[in-house]
Amino acid sequence: MSLVGQSETDIEIKAPAALFHDVFSCRPHHISNVCPEKIQGVDLHEGDWGTVGSVVCWNYVHDGIPEVAKEIIEEIDDENNSSTFTVIEGHLLEKYKNFYFIVQATPKGEGQGSLVHWTLKYEKLNEDVPEPKGMLQLAIDVTKEVDAHLTQQQQQQQQA
């Protein structure tokens, strides 16, 4: 049994890919305002928002338990609306030797919304460590709430 694994999922959203990407790449600290039950706070520890090499600390609820993950922004690809984060501290490293989050939003066509693809790459510390299904579900839930927020903002701007 391999200790190296990868979990992936796709979520259809109504928001434009570039707007969704901007939230995760440059404004993750706003996510706690959008879904405070899941993400209590996102703090910048080093660098600048939206900059590769910056260190971001996430306070969130995972399987009903408050947790913390400190991550380095490894890559921001604005052309492909993709961001990569590497976990460097937190509860995930109690079970995994390494853990990466990759989120990419792809436009489906003019006015057709986007497809968000999450990839969680990891290496378990041992064979008894479960697949990170709870983390994947958290990514799905946060994606849906960010989409609803962005879609509502767009509707309000169109009505103004």
Side-chain angles (χ1 to χ4, degrees), residues 36-125:
E37 314 80 39
K38 295 173 183 64
I39 309 294
Q40 280 73 51
V42 183
D43 300 310
L44 185 66
H45 281 227
E46 291 179 31
D48 295 308
W49 292 116
T51 304
V52 170
S54 295
V55 177
V56 178
C57 187
W58 295 75
N59 292 285
Y60 59 98
V61 175
H62 173 248
D63 293 337
I65 300 168
E67 300 285 5
V68 176
K70 190 181 279 189
E71 302 174 345
I72 292 177
I73 301 172
E74 292 288 341
E75 182 180 356
I76 296 174
D77 182 345
D78 291 330
E79 186 175 325
N80 292 306
N81 298 311
S82 176
S83 299
T84 302
F85 302 89
T86 301
V87 178
I88 58 171
E89 285 182 28
H91 81 103
L92 289 169
L93 298 184
E94 294 170 7
K95 296 180 180 180
Y96 302 93
K97 185 175 181 178
N98 54 53
F99 206 101
Y100 305 90
F101 291 91
I102 303 164
V103 58
Q104 180 176 18
T106 305
K108 289 173 47 180
E110 191 64 37
Q112 300 297 313
S114 310
L115 186 67
V116 174
H117 184 81
W118 279 95
T119 305
L120 281 54
K121 293 184 178 184
Y122 51 87
E123 182 177 355
K124 300 176 186 182
L125 289 176

